[in-house]
Each structure stands twice: as structure tokens, then as C-alpha cells.
Amino acid sequence: MKKIIFFELTEQEKRILEKYPDFLELIDFTQEKLSLENVNQYVDYEVVSVFIGSQLSQEVLKQLSNLKLIATRSTGFDHIDLNYCKDNNILISNVPDYGEHTVAEYTFALLLCLIRKVYNAYHQVRETGSFSLEGLQGRELYEKVLGVIGVGKIGREVIKIAKGFSMKVIAYDKYPQEELAKQLGFEYVDLENLLSVSDVISLHVPYNKETHHLINKDNIFKTKPGCYIINTARGGIIETQALYEAIKNNHLGGAALDVLEEEGDLKEEQRMLMEKQDIPSEKLKILLANHVFIDLDNVIVSPHNAFNTQEALANIVIKTIENIKQFQISKPINLIN
Ligand code: NAI
């Protein structure tokens, strides 16, 4: 029996794996997400590779009694129960740096689309044939203040691009690196200060207990009126209700969200309704707000797509193979626990 299985494997990833026939021979793969519903078919595997659609909760992990390594094909690992893995000696490897350029470029794709109304213009011409400029006026980035929350691998690339637009950059990070600030030409400030002076705020922190609702109902109205928020990090970093209120009250200029709180549920909602199970009211509120967001003119929602370039995907697969090979020779790399 094979010991390794890849879940959520796309055709494109499979084509990349085919370039490594020795490795491909060792693995099973499926397009399915690993979930509580199907885990009983996979209980014997020692190495499981997933993407972010598989929720590796305690209930799921408990059934994988031989599991030794989870090789997530993502940077974020908030879909995995870290405590359970720690208590049960299950290693977790991630792909820490496959696509900082990819995500940083997408951040600006979203930002420009939002503030220059690129989608609205395109949609108008295509759908109505109208070349009217009514309602299509935007804002410049030139000399505006960009507030970057989290200056890690992606945040850094975002700052470099911002400099190309002659933006002034300030940043908030739990671990400031003054040398980096000097080198890239930005200044660290505290969160409150960043919120109050930024024309654009871009989020690049990981999602964890500390960053859960980092932007919330107590601080969102402290942002500069008309400010734009871009989130390519994780949905749970912004309190959905707070964002909805700040947009509805026209306090914010708009938001571009590649990630949503409970985005997994958004994809699964049809199934949730069919199952007639009780859905907690907090979850329902978030789901509802997500639907309202999707329809607002000054909000752009995309389907967790920031990582999605040919280059990044190839990097993810190659680095995941490396993570698994190193684990097999007892020299694991890129461990997050
Ligand atoms: P990184 O680990 O290189 O950088 C994270 C930065 O956040 C670090 O500078 C760290 O000091 C800072 N930080 C951590 N906790 C903090 C806190 N509580 N308060 C303030 N700062 C804090 O991570 P990287 O590669 O830049 O990625 C950032 C996030 O982007 C990932 O964790 C992931 O969730 C998300 N991501 C989203 C993708 C998408 O497709 N939308 C693709 C790839 C990553």
C-alpha cells in the first residue's frame, strides 16, 4: 500500500507532478478535499498533502491513526488543528515562500481595480456598449499613504511595488526590522497610528489567535475616512460585521477581499442547507454579510485567488515534494511545529 496521498490535486498540479515520475509512483491522489465525511477511506496513510480546502480538525485527524506528516501546499496553516498535531507527534510542513511576488502583484491588481473602477468600466462597455464616464472616476495612488500590516515576505514585495507608484509607506509589525525599513524606505508605526493616517491599508499577517479580528468594530472607525482596505491574507483578520458597517456608512472608500471570514462555508453552504443541520447564528450572520459584500459596488471579492499563478503553483508542488522527501530521510524541513 502507498503511504502518501495528495488531496485537492488539480489537473495542473498533476501535470507538474508528472515531471517527477519516481515521486509520482509513490503517491495516491484525489481531487477531493479531506473531510469528516470521507476520512474513513484514508485512515492508513502516513503522509497527507492538502490544500486549504481540507479542514484538518481534531475529529478528522483522530481517524488518521498512522499519520506522521501533513504537507500542506500553502503558506497559511490555520486549516490544521496545531494542538492536536503537537500532542500526537504529527509533523506539519508548509510552503513558506512560493509566491510572494504573485500575492503582492495581486494585491495591486485588486487595489487598482477597486480605486480605478476597472471592472465597472469593463463591465459597462461590454454589457451596455456605453462609453459614458459617469460613475467611473477613480483616485490616484501617487503620494498616497499605504499602511502595510505585516512586513514579512509578501508585505515586503508590496512595499517595493508601492514605491514604484511613489506611495508613502508606513507599516505595523509585531517584530519591526529597522534595517529593512531603512533599506526599503518606510517607517514602522503602531496599529492605531497606521489606521488613522493610511489612505490604503493592506493586510499581510498570518491568521492566528492574536490576529483574529485585528480590524474590528472598536478600531475600524478610527481609519481615515475614505480609506480602502485590501485583504489578501485571511478573512478572519477582519471582523466581517465591522467591515460591513464601515462600508455601509460610507466611512470606508471600499474594500477588496481575496479572502473572507468563513469562506469555506460560503463554498459549502448549499450542502449545509441540504443537511438541515443547525448553523450557528454567528456563522449565518457572517455568511449573510459575505453575500451582501459580493453585491456592493465599492467591494471586490475574489475567490482566494491571489496565490494562483503558473509560477507559484509550480513552486508549491516542487517544494512540497522536497518537504516530503526530506521527511522520508528523517531530515524534515519547513516545519511549522
Ligand atoms: P510571513 O510569515 O513572511 O510574514 C508575516 C509577517 O506578519 C511577519 O513579518 C510577522 O512578524 C508579522 N506578524 C505575525 N503576527 C503578527 C501580529 N500578531 N501582529 C503584527 N504582525 C504580525 O508571511 P507571508 O509569506 O508574508 O504571508 C502572509 C500571509 O498571507 C500568510 O500567513 C497567509 O495567510 C496569506 N497568504 C494568502 C494567500 C492567498 O492566496 N490569498 C497566498 C499566500 C499567503
Side-chain angles (χ1 to χ4, degrees):
M1 198 206 89
K2 292 179 181 174
K3 293 179 177 170
I4 307 169
I5 181 158
F6 275 54
F7 289 90
E8 306 178 68
L9 195 79
T10 62
E11 279 305 317
Q12 197 190 342
E13 285 176 304
K14 201 171 142 226
R15 282 197 295 277
I16 300 165
L17 277 173
E18 279 161 3
K19 295 182 186 151
Y20 303 87
D22 293 350
F23 184 81
L24 192 58
E25 246 180 42
L26 300 176
I27 69 170
D28 287 327
F29 48 83
T30 169
Q31 290 180 355
E32 285 191 342
K33 294 170 192 164
L34 178 58
S35 68
L36 202 52
E37 283 75 37
N38 63 13
V39 64
N40 59 348
Q41 300 168 42
Y42 305 111
V43 292
D44 292 327
Y45 288 98
E46 288 181 10
V47 177
V48 154
S49 178
V50 293
F51 191 51
I52 52 171
S54 298
Q55 290 300 317
L56 300 195
S57 61
Q58 180 172 333
E59 293 73 29
V60 170
L61 292 168
K62 256 186 194 164
Q63 299 194 45
L64 299 165
S65 49
N66 290 332
L67 188 60
K68 295 192 172 58
L69 174 72
I70 299 168
T72 188
R73 303 197 299 287
S74 58
T75 303
F77 38 81
D78 45 291
H79 51 300
I80 304 169
D81 186 328
L82 302 186
N83 286 333
Y84 182 88
C85 290
K86 189 175 165 211
D87 293 345
N88 292 277
N89 298 321
I90 299 167
L91 299 178
I92 306 169
S93 67
N94 74 340
V95 187
D97 56 353
Y98 63 88
E100 55 269 36
H101 304 287
T102 280
V103 179
E105 287 171 15
Y106 195 82
T107 302
F108 275 85
L110 285 178
L111 172 56
L112 287 168
C113 198
L114 181 68
I115 68 163
R116 297 305 306 271
K117 306 191 177 177
V118 179
Y119 174 77
N120 312 51
Y122 161 82
H123 185 72
Q124 172 188 300
V125 171
R126 200 173 159 128
E127 292 303 308
T128 69
S130 163
F131 278 72
S132 160
L133 297 183
E134 186 80 35
L136 294 181
Q137 193 168 69
R139 303 286 307 277
E140 273 185 351
L141 292 182
Y142 181 73
E143 291 197 341
K144 295 289 187 306
V145 178
L146 171 69
V148 174
I149 301 184
V151 190
K153 290 177 287 298
I154 296 170
R156 256 170 252 179
E157 294 306 316
V158 165
I159 292 173
K160 288 185 202 162
I161 297 174
K163 289 283 163 178
F165 284 97
S166 299
M167 295 184 85
K168 295 175 187 159
V169 182
I170 54 174
Y172 166 68
D173 196 291
K174 196 176 170 186
Y175 305 104
Q177 297 177 57
E178 290 303 339
E179 203 44 49
L180 181 71
K182 230 186 265 169
Q183 199 187 327
L184 297 185
F186 69 92
E187 193 192 333
Y188 285 108
V189 294
D190 61 30
L191 182 60
E192 198 164 327
N193 197 342
L194 181 143
L195 296 182
S196 66
V197 299
S198 297
D199 299 295
V200 177
I201 294 170
S202 193
L203 296 173
H204 303 288
V205 282
Y207 179 58
N208 53 40
K209 273 190 199 136
E210 269 179 36
T211 59
H212 173 74
H213 290 181
L214 192 67
I215 309 286
N216 54 56
K217 61 179 180 336
D218 296 328
N219 65 16
I220 201 160
F221 285 97
K222 292 182 181 161
T223 53
K224 188 172 170 182
C227 164
Y228 297 93
I229 295 186
I230 314 297
N231 190 4
T232 57
R234 283 293 182 269
I237 297 166
I238 306 180
E239 185 179 4
T240 304
Q241 305 285 326
L243 182 61
Y244 174 66
E245 272 168 39
I247 287 177
K248 206 183 76 185
N249 294 334
N250 289 324
H251 176 77
L252 292 175
L257 313 168
D258 185 47
V259 285
L260 292 171
E261 205 171 5
E262 309 292 351
E263 66 186 32
D265 288 339
L266 204 59
K267 288 182 195 158
E268 297 288 317
E269 61 190 3
Q270 254 183 340
R271 186 182 55 75
M272 282 162 76
L273 286 172
M274 298 290 283
E275 282 175 358
K276 297 194 182 111
Q277 63 189 17
D278 284 341
I279 307 168
S281 66
E282 266 318 296
K283 232 175 209 193
L284 277 178
K285 268 194 208 158
I286 293 170
L287 281 172
L288 198 62
N290 285 341
H291 278 286
V292 178
F293 277 138
I294 292 169
D295 288 336
L296 289 176
D297 263 356
N298 51 351
V299 175
I300 294 176
V301 175
S302 67
H304 203 140
N305 187 41
F307 75 96
N308 190 13
T309 58
Q310 288 179 15
E311 293 83 353
L313 208 72
N315 271 337
I316 289 174
V317 174
I318 292 164
K319 291 192 178 192
T320 301
I321 295 175
E322 201 50 35
N323 285 349
I324 295 173
K325 281 187 176 168
Q326 288 296 121
F327 163 79
Q328 286 174 321
I329 58 165
S330 303
K331 289 183 180 166
I333 52 169
N334 295 324
L335 294 183
I336 59 105
N337 55 350

